[in-house]
Amino acid sequence: MKSAMLHVALFPFMAKGHMIPLLQLVKLIHIHKPEAKFTIFTTPANEPFIVSSLTSLPPQLINFICLCFSPTSQIIAGVESTDQLPSMSLFTPFLYATETLQPQFETALRSLQEQVVPITCLISDGFLHWTVESASKFNIPRLSFNGMNNYSYVLYTIMVGGRLFSKVESEEELITVPGLPWVQVTRNHFDSPWNEQEPQGSIVDYTAKCLMATSNSYGLLVNSFDELESKYLDFWNLNFQPKAWCIGPLCLAHKPKLDDCDKPNWVDWLDKKWAERRKVLYVAFGTQAEISNEQLKEIMIGLENSRIDFLWALRIKPNQEEIVVGLEERVQGRGLIMRGWVDQKMILEHEGIRGHLTHCGWNSTTESICASVPVLAMPMLAEQHLNAKMVVEELKVGLRVETCNGSTKGFVKSEELKRVIFEFMGKEHGEMVRENVEELSKVAKKSIQEGGSSWINLESLLTDLQMRK
C-alpha cells in the first residue's frame, strides 16, 4: 500500500540565483511538515553546492539524484551552471541543453513512483518546461517555480504576450499598461528581444514552451508575499493560469550561523566599521551580469570618489583583472573587495551595512528588504529594470542610479554614481527610504511566521496536495 506521507521532488535550474531560493523552500516546507521527504534532482557538478546547502536538515529525509549533463556542440563537458558559461551569449544554448536530461529524469521518476512513498508533487524551475510533460506521465502535479515577482511577471505577460510593442517606435515612449492604469512602462524596461516590435529567435521559442508548460501546471510558486504586491497577485489570478501562490520571502527560511573557526574576513572588517559608527555600502551585481570594461571603470571611480566606506562582492571576467589592479591599495581601510562566493544574506544582515548598490535581481532585492537595507538600483538585464521601477516607485525603499542620457537603459558615469551614493547614504533621502524598508521588513517577516499570509498559503497548498493523493 502506498503511503500518504508528503514526498516533494524539486528540480532547480542550474544557476545559483535559481537554486538558492528552491533550496530555501525545502527548509521552509520542512518547518511546515517535519516528516516530509524530499528528492532533489541535479547534475554532478551542482551536487556539492546543493548538498552543502541542506546540511541542517535530517539526512534521512533527503534523496539526491544526479542526472548526467551531456556536452553539446556549444556547451562543453563540465559546464553545468550558468555562472560557468564563458559568455552569456551561450545562455540560450544552455537552456536547450537541459532538454537532454528528460529521458534520465523520467527513468528516475518511474523508479520513485514504485516506492512505498511515491512523489506527492514536483516543484521545478519555470525554465525546465519539459518537466511538466514528464510529471504528467506519472500523474504527478507539477508546480512551476517563478524566480520573478508578480509585478514583473504580470507586466511581461501583458506587454509581451499581448504584443503591445508591435507599433511602438520609440524605446522611451511611455505606455500605459492595460488593466493597470497607474503603471506606465517603456520598451527599455524590458530586455531584448522581448522589447522588439516582432520578438523572434531561439530564446523566444524556448520561452514560449516555458509559458505553455507553466499554464498547464498545477500552480505557480512566487518568491514574494501577498502584502508586497497584492494588486498584481490578484490581477494574475483573475486573468491568467495557473493559480499563483506567494510563499516567500524564501530567504527568511535560511538562518546562517557564523563558525568562529571559519569566520569570513569581512566580519571583523564590518564589526570595526560599526564600532567606528561608519556607514557601509554593500556593492554586488549578481552572478550573471556582464559588465563592460568601460562601465566597470566608471563604477570603480564612482566608488573611490564617493568617500563612502564600501564592501564590494566583485565578480569580473578574467580579462578584466588588469582594470582593477591597484583598486584595493587605493581604497585600503575604506573599501573591502571580496572575491568568489559570499553569503550575501549574512552580509546584508550585519548592522554595519546601511545600503545596497545592486543590479536588482529579485533574490537580492528581497534579501535587502528582509534585512531592512535600502536599495540603490543599477539594473542590467532581464527583468531587473522592472524590479528597479518597483523598488523606487511602488515600494519606495530605494533610489535609482540614472544613466548619462536619462534613458531607462544606458551608461552610468562615475560622477552620477558618486552623486547618488552621497544622496542615498545621506540623511534626507537615505532616512526616508530606510524608514520605508524597515516597515516593509517587519511585514515580510510576519508573512512567513505561523498565521502570516505566506504561511497560510504554503500550508493550504501542501494540504491540498496531500489530500489529492
Side-chain angles (χ1 to χ4, degrees), residues 115-398:
Q115 297 182 5
V116 175
V117 185
I119 295 173
T120 308
C121 67
L122 169 69
I123 302 173
S124 61
D125 193 282
F127 277 141
L128 304 179
H129 68 86
W130 42 270
T131 59
V132 71
E133 178 186 1
S134 301
S136 66
K137 292 179 180 180
F138 302 96
N139 196 31
I140 301 171
R142 183 251 189 170
L143 294 153
S144 178
F145 177 75
N146 186 5
M148 299 167 69
N149 53 47
N150 293 294
Y151 175 83
S152 297
Y153 201 59
V154 163
L155 294 184
Y156 258 90
T157 303
I158 294 173
M159 301 303 297
V160 179
R163 297 170 59 85
L164 299 183
F165 294 133
S166 61
K167 297 182 179 178
V168 179
E169 297 288 344
S170 170
E171 294 181 339
E172 289 296 326
E173 177 184 341
L174 285 172
I175 308 163
T176 300
V177 178
L180 304 172
W182 62 90
V183 182
Q184 289 187 311
V185 295
T186 69
R187 284 175 54 190
N188 269 342
H189 279 111
F190 298 77
D191 213 18
S192 177
W194 314 115
N195 62 356
E196 296 171 6
Q197 292 178 311
E198 295 293 337
Q200 54 187 322
S202 55
I203 183 62
V204 175
D205 298 337
Y206 190 91
T207 305
K209 296 180 185 179
C210 296
L211 295 175
M212 180 60 68
T214 293
S215 67
N216 290 328
S217 297
Y218 184 86
L220 176 64
L221 298 184
V222 186
N223 184 12
S224 185
F225 52 104
D226 292 3
E227 296 86 348
L228 185 74
E229 43 178 349
S230 59
K231 292 177 290 189
Y232 304 100
L233 172 65
D234 293 343
F235 188 90
W236 174 270
N237 284 333
L238 283 171
N239 296 280
F240 304 107
Q241 294 291 333
K243 180 179 179 179
W245 306 72
C246 284
I247 42 84
L250 295 174
C251 63
L252 292 175
H254 171 55
K255 297 180 174 61
K257 294 182 181 179
L258 279 177
D259 186 343
D260 289 337
C261 298
D262 192 28
K263 186 185 291 186
N265 67 328
W266 58 260
V267 176
D268 289 336
W269 190 83
L270 280 178
D271 287 346
K272 181 180 178 182
K273 292 296 177 183
W274 175 247
E276 296 171 352
R277 293 295 184 264
R278 301 281 297 178
K279 297 178 181 179
V280 178
L281 176 69
Y282 174 56
V283 183
F285 299 109
T287 59
Q288 294 190 14
E290 293 185 342
I291 303 174
S292 69
N293 293 353
E294 294 74 18
Q295 186 63 87
L296 180 60
K297 291 175 185 176
E298 294 295 321
I299 293 171
M300 285 173 48
I301 296 170
L303 287 171
E304 287 185 58
N305 294 343
S306 71
R307 310 309 303 168
I308 292 291
D309 293 351
F310 66 90
L311 189 161
W312 190 356
L314 181 63
R315 292 181 61 89
I316 54 176
K317 295 177 287 189
N319 62 4
Q320 293 180 316
E321 287 293 340
E322 61 182 30
I323 298 174
V324 299
V325 170
L327 174 63
E328 294 180 71
E329 291 75 16
R330 294 195 301 272
V331 298
Q332 189 172 16
R334 185 172 67 83
L336 180 64
I337 311 299
M338 300 295 299
R339 300 301 190 103
W341 181 254
V342 297
D343 191 324
Q344 178 167 280
K345 183 174 186 290
M346 194 183 297
I347 292 174
L348 287 167
E349 289 181 347
H350 193 285
E351 53 197 350
I353 297 295
R354 305 296 285 170
H356 185 189
L357 173 58
T358 172
H359 60 306
C360 275
W362 188 237
N363 291 337
S364 295
T365 302
T366 55
E367 287 173 353
S368 284
I369 290 172
C370 292
S372 301
V373 175
V375 170
L376 183 54
M378 189 174 166
M380 297 187 176
L381 50 81
E383 83 281 9
Q384 294 164 12
H385 293 87
L386 289 175
N387 291 345
K389 180 179 173 67
M390 180 187 187
V391 162
V392 176
E393 299 178 12
E394 298 266 335
L395 305 179
K396 302 186 187 306
V397 296

Side-chain angles (χ1 to χ4, degrees), residues 11-14 42-46 66-72 74-82 84-85 90-102 104 128 130 206:
F11 202 153
F13 177 64
M14 292 78 90
T42 185
T43 65
N46 292 300
C66 273
L67 308 178
C68 294
F69 196 77
S70 303
T72 67
Q74 293 177 282
I75 308 299
I76 63 173
V79 175
E80 297 179 12
S81 64
T82 58
Q84 297 175 330
L85 294 173
L90 294 173
F91 181 74
T92 301
F94 185 84
L95 287 174
Y96 277 97
T98 68
E99 296 178 336
T100 65
L101 297 171
Q102 187 172 3
Q104 299 174 67
L128 304 179
W130 42 270
Y206 190 91

